[in-house]
């Protein structure tokens, strides 16, 4: 009977394609919007991801994220270094600044000062140049999104001169970084040079990045740092999560994306529900005849379930492929740099599709199951 | 009586025995009694007509007789089985094995071809699609529409669709064939041709055939006629009463 069910479904091309469109559109909307949401909120942790060597982030107790921070006295670095289990500790400066470009434009940037000796705090890879170029005077590295933001397609960023707090800065490399949540231009330089680039305040050490010794865990060492120094020390995953949580708690993004995802679900239910119920209604006499002939309600349920499974699996696959195509198509755009589809999202949209089909299938089935076989004689 | 009715086929064994059949329909606060304690027998080897005006209860009666509508009161035995004592699933399986239906509007599935439509009872019984189609094709051949087997129902004329419906009713060799207004949409000549065809393929020694109709052009083809009026059998005989 499943063969008949599938033929009944595919035989009505208009409704079949309508159902496919409904499921595919819903899947696309839910998967694509959730993907953008997850990737966008993960930008809240980009500062942590862009400094891969740091196993522990130490900061003033009021600091919350890489962007929302409060500077510490420079003595904090020595305090951290004195804690047992700390293999190494380096200063890390993050501060906003205004940059004047060669054309005279003013642009808000983020300055990141990394350890002068080890360069710990830089992103893992450079798109152009070498990390050691930072040892040259006045050198800054710019993140790849910053190139897109500050320079036109024909302009060459390498060698470009910038004015930072009345100081000269020359771009000599481009980092391969995950853009920040605010898509702000980021300039990397050495810690000592960064102190000159950002307006002077009494305390300017925003973070101490630390590594743990052999046989120690980041969690244990972080706890020890907190106990001994009174500073806040968190592991890399914890600090990344703090950045994500901050975006979720302090922006309207979850609500906005939540509304779109809900709309995707509602549109799916509406299109699929309407088309499925029309399909069932158009075939109600055939279903009634099958019941009279001797097809049990259980078989009818299996027939409708097979129809729903077929339309669901094809529509879902189309929706997921559509999302992959979307991400692929925009992968060259710096705004979408590093976007990926976490495996949980297709599972979530699959659950939504199953729910849509279960709901609409049940609504359609009600009329079939309640149809008396005798109705075919009327 | 029809001259074509094979006398040898008439065994007069009761295929259906209905006793004290009452059926009420409820609409809000109102209860309407459609059948008033009907006793009737349908015999194997006969083509039995159930006739009557619209609203006389003939469709309700055959629905009850073939196990698709529960009576409010009464007992129906089909080939000795008290069908309303069966569980729902048993009753559905009983219908699948023992009863073939020919609906007035045919109710063919529009998106599957003629052979598959005719094979539906076999497929529903668990037979593989290809084997069921082959068996259906053999019957379609007998009904002279084997050449249409691969077409969709919408590509056939009304008469051809009816033959497909007949094939579907007979493909699983049921012992009871129930036919609803088979000639309602046909002219007199086509109607008689369909009835001859039904007699040829649906009436047999061990098979009963019930036809619900109000088409007086074919009354002379019946072996037996039950006349219903206001939910009661007012005539049960080989011919129509004079006043009908």
């Amino acid at each position: 009977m499943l063969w008949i069910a599938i033929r009944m479904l595919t035989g009505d091309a208009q409704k079949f394609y309508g159902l496919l469109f409904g499921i595919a559109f819903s899947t696309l909307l839910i998967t694509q919007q959730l993907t953008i949401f997850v990737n966008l909120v993960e930008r809240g942790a980009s500062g942590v991801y862009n400094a891969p060597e740091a196993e522990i982030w130490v900061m003033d107790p009021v600091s919350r994220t890489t962007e929302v921070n409060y500077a510490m006295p420079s003595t904090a670095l020595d305090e951290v270094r004195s804690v047992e289990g700390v293999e190494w500790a380096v200063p890390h400066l993050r501060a906003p600044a205004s940059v004047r470009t060669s054309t005279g434009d003013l642009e808000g940037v983020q300055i990141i000062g990394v350890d002068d000796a080890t360069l710990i705090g830089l992103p893992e890879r450079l798109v152009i140049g070498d990390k050691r170029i930072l040892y040259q005077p006045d050198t800054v590295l710019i993140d790849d999104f910053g190139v897109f933001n500050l320079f036109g397609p024909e302009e060459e960023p390498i060698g470009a001169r910038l004015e930072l707090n009345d100081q000269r800065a020359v771009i000599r490399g481009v980092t391969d970084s995950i853009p920040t949540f605010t898509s702000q231009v980021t300039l990397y330089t050495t810690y000592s040079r960064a102190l000159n680039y950002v307006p002077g305040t009494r305390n300017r050490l925003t973070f101490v990045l630390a590594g743990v010794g052999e046989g120690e865990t980041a969690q244990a060492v972080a706890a020890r740092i907190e106990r001994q120094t009174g500073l806040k020390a968190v592991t890399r995953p914890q600090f990344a999560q703090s950045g994500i949580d901050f975006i979720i708690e302090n922006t309207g993004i979850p609500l906005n994306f939540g509304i779109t995802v809900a709309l995707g679900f509602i549109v799916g239910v509406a299109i699929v529900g309407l088309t499925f119920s029309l399909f069932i209604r158009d075939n109600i006499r055939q279903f009634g005849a099958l019941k009279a002939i001797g097809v049990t309600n259980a078989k009818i349920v299996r027939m409708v379930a097979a129809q729903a499974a077929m339309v669901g699996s094809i529509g879902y696959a189309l929706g997921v492929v559509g999302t992959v195509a979307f991400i692929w198509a925009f992968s060259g755009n710096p705004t979408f740099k590093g976007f990926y589809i976490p495996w949980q999202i297709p599972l979530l949209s699959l659950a939504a599709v199953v729910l849509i089909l279960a709901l609409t299938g049940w609504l359609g089935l009600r009329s079939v199951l309640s149809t008396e076989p005798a109705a075919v004689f009327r | 009586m029809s001259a074509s009715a094979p006398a040898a086929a008439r065994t007069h064994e009761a295929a259906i025995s209905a006793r004290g059949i009452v059926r009420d329909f409820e609409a809000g606060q109102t209860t309407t009694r459609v059948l008033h304690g009907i006793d009737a027998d349908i015999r194997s080897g006969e083509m039995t007509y159930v006739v009557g005006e619209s609203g006389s209860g003939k469709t309700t009666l055959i629905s009850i007789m073939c196990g698709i509508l529960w009576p409010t009161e009464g007992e129906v035995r089909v080939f000795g089985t008290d069908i309303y004592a069966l569980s729902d699933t048993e009753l559905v399986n009983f219908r699948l094995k023992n009863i073939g239906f020919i609906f007035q509007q045919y109710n063919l599935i529009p998106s599957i071809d003629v052979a598959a439509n005719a094979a539906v009872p076999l497929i529903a019984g668990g037979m593989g699609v290809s084997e069921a189609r082959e068996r259906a094709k053999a019957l379609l051949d007998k009904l002279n529409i084997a050449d249409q087997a691969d077409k969709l129902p919408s590509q056939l004329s009304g008469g051809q669709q009816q033959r497909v419906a007949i094939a579907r009713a007979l493909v699983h060799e049921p012992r009871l064939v129930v036919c609803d207004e088979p000639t309602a949409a046909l002219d007199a000549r086509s109607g008689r041709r369909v009835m001859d065809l039904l007699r040829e393929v649906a009436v047999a020694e061990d098979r009963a055939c019930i036809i619900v109709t109000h088409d007086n052009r074919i009354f002379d083809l019946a072996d037996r006629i039950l006349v219903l009026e206001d939910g009661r059998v007012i005539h049960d005989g080989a011919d129509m009463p004079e006043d009908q």
Side-chain angles (χ1 to χ4, degrees):
Chain A
M1 292 309 290
L2 299 187
W3 178 81
I4 291 176
I6 298 301
R7 295 299 296 267
M8 282 172 82
L9 178 72
T10 54
D12 190 341
Q14 261 185 335
K15 292 194 185 66
F16 178 58
Y17 290 124
L19 285 166
L20 281 187
F21 173 78
I23 291 293
F25 184 70
S26 258
T27 306
L28 176 69
L29 211 56
I30 293 170
T31 313
Q32 186 243 29
Q33 287 296 299
L34 279 176
T35 297
I36 293 177
F37 169 72
V38 167
N39 282 278
L40 210 53
V41 296
E42 279 208 359
R43 292 278 164 93
S46 63
V48 179
Y49 297 149
N50 285 333
E53 296 105 326
E55 292 170 272
I56 296 173
W57 287 69
V58 185
M59 65 205 86
D60 186 277
V62 299
S63 292
R64 297 177 68 182
T65 71
T66 49
E67 320 296 325
V68 183
N69 54 53
Y70 189 77
M72 306 171 283
S74 54
T75 51
L77 179 61
D78 295 326
E79 287 183 69
V80 174
R81 280 177 175 160
S82 68
V83 175
E84 191 186 337
V86 173
E87 176 81 6
W88 51 262
V90 296
H92 192 73
L93 181 147
R94 303 176 81 97
S98 293
V99 65
R100 190 181 294 279
T101 64
S102 54
T103 55
D105 287 339
L106 205 61
E107 186 80 37
V109 298
Q110 178 176 232
I111 300 289
I112 296 181
V114 302
D115 181 45
D116 290 50
T118 62
L119 302 183
I120 284 174
L122 274 183
E124 193 173 4
R125 281 183 302 272
L126 264 66
V127 179
I128 302 171
D130 186 276
K131 288 181 182 179
R132 284 169 297 180
I133 201 122
L134 266 187
Y135 295 129
Q136 288 190 20
D138 303 331
T139 299
V140 293
L141 307 177
I142 188 168
D143 69 322
D144 41 0
F145 183 80
V147 173
F148 172 75
N149 215 9
L150 273 188
F151 299 95
E154 303 299 320
E155 291 178 272
E156 174 58 49
I158 302 299
R161 294 178 178 208
L162 307 170
E163 186 186 310
L164 276 163
N165 194 27
D166 293 334
Q167 308 279 318
R168 191 178 79 127
V170 182
I171 297 173
R172 291 207 170 92
V174 179
T175 61
D176 182 6
S177 315
I178 301 166
T180 61
F181 177 73
T182 53
S183 298
Q184 200 175 25
V185 178
T186 304
L187 296 175
Y188 294 89
T189 189
T190 56
Y191 183 80
S192 56
R193 204 175 294 136
L195 292 175
N196 294 325
Y197 286 149
V198 295
T201 54
R202 194 165 68 89
N203 297 328
R204 287 193 282 176
L205 176 65
T206 32
F207 297 99
V208 173
L209 309 184
V212 298
E214 228 176 278
E216 298 278 0
T217 64
Q219 188 86 40
V221 175
R224 208 175 293 146
I225 292 170
E226 283 197 343
R227 269 200 312 275
Q228 285 190 25
T229 64
L231 297 167
K232 179 178 173 183
V234 290
T235 62
R236 175 182 154 83
Q238 285 172 334
F239 201 38
Q241 191 59 49
S242 298
I244 293 168
D245 291 346
F246 185 83
I247 304 291
I248 291 172
E249 288 162 13
N250 293 281
T251 67
I253 287 177
L255 181 67
N256 288 326
F257 277 88
I259 288 170
T260 313
V261 169
L263 280 176
F265 185 81
I266 291 166
V267 166
V269 170
I271 296 178
V272 176
L274 197 66
T275 317
F276 215 43
S277 62
L278 274 175
F279 169 75
I280 298 273
R281 195 190 303 167
D282 285 355
N283 288 286
I284 199 87
R285 287 196 73 83
Q286 280 72 33
F287 278 120
L290 289 176
K291 288 177 76 169
I293 286 167
V295 178
T296 58
N297 274 345
K299 278 185 185 165
I300 299 271
V301 170
R302 283 203 289 275
M303 286 175 76
V304 173
Q307 289 166 341
M310 182 178 177
V311 84
S313 50
I314 297 176
Y316 171 75
L318 288 175
V320 171
V321 166
T323 307
V324 171
F326 172 85
I327 298 293
W328 177 79
F330 284 89
S331 60
N333 186 321
T335 311
F336 293 93
K337 190 188 171 194
F339 269 33
Y340 70 106
I341 305 175
W343 61 267
Q344 296 92 337
I345 290 178
L347 278 187
L348 265 176
S349 49
L350 179 64
V353 166
V354 169
L355 195 61
I356 289 170
L357 286 169
L359 198 66
T360 54
W362 174 72
L363 288 172
L365 258 177
R366 275 195 324 168
S367 56
V368 176
L369 297 181
S370 62
T371 298
E372 280 186 19
V376 288
F377 280 139
R378 290 181 196 135
Chain B
M1 281 296 72
S2 167
S4 58
R10 299 177 194 166
T11 64
H12 303 295
E13 286 172 15
I16 301 177
S17 171
R19 292 288 172 269
I21 301 301
V22 171
R23 175 66 200 197
D24 296 335
F25 285 103
E26 289 180 11
Q29 303 287 323
T30 315
T31 301
T32 308
R33 180 152 290 186
V34 177
L35 299 178
H36 300 265
I38 286 182
D39 294 329
D41 290 318
I42 305 293
R43 298 179 202 127
S44 292
E46 284 187 352
M47 186 179 265
T48 304
Y49 283 18
V50 178
V51 304
E53 298 293 322
S54 291
S56 60
K58 55 187 189 298
T59 299
T60 305
L61 178 62
I62 64 146
S63 296
I64 290 171
M65 282 180 158
C66 63
I68 57 174
L69 184 69
W70 267 249
T72 308
E73 289 171 28
E75 183 188 86
V76 179
R77 287 186 174 272
V78 180
F79 301 111
T81 302
D82 181 356
I83 57 173
Y84 292 106
L86 298 174
S87 70
D88 287 356
T89 309
E90 285 171 340
L91 179 54
V92 171
N93 287 330
F94 183 86
R95 287 204 303 266
L96 180 60
K97 282 186 188 141
N98 295 288
I99 304 175
F101 293 90
I102 302 168
F103 307 108
Q104 185 179 351
Q105 293 174 2
Y106 319 137
N107 292 332
L108 301 174
I109 297 170
S111 50
I112 60 175
D113 65 23
V114 162
N117 261 293
V120 160
L122 297 176
I123 297 168
M127 190 180 283
V129 173
S130 0
E131 189 188 348
R133 277 172 59 91
E134 286 311 309
R135 290 231 343 227
K137 276 183 182 173
L139 188 55
L140 290 168
D141 189 34
K142 201 171 171 184
L143 294 166
N144 294 321
I145 47 165
D147 54 335
Q148 312 290 323
D150 297 325
K151 289 185 177 172
L152 293 175
S154 59
Q155 295 171 294
L156 305 187
S157 68
Q160 287 173 321
Q161 287 187 38
Q162 192 166 42
R163 282 166 188 251
V164 179
I166 292 170
R168 183 178 65 184
L170 298 171
V171 72
H172 54 310
E173 298 174 354
R175 296 169 71 193
L176 171 65
V177 176
V178 179
C179 201
D180 183 29
E181 303 281 6
T183 58
L186 303 176
D187 58 48
R189 193 187 161 120
S190 306
R192 291 188 80 83
R193 212 162 41 225
V194 165
M195 295 313 296
D196 282 341
L197 179 65
L198 270 175
R199 175 171 293 285
E200 189 187 329
V201 296
V203 179
E205 189 175 346
D206 58 347
R207 181 184 286 160
C209 180
I210 314 174
I211 290 169
V212 173
T213 184
H214 58 256
D215 185 356
N216 55 17
R217 298 171 302 180
I218 58 165
F219 285 172
D220 60 310
L221 299 175
D223 294 324
R224 195 161 143 247
I225 299 177
L226 289 178
V227 182
L228 261 66
E229 190 176 282
D230 295 331
R232 291 180 176 85
V233 176
I234 59 163
H235 173 80
D236 181 355
D239 298 298
M240 280 296 281
E242 293 292 321
D243 55 343
Q244 295 287 313

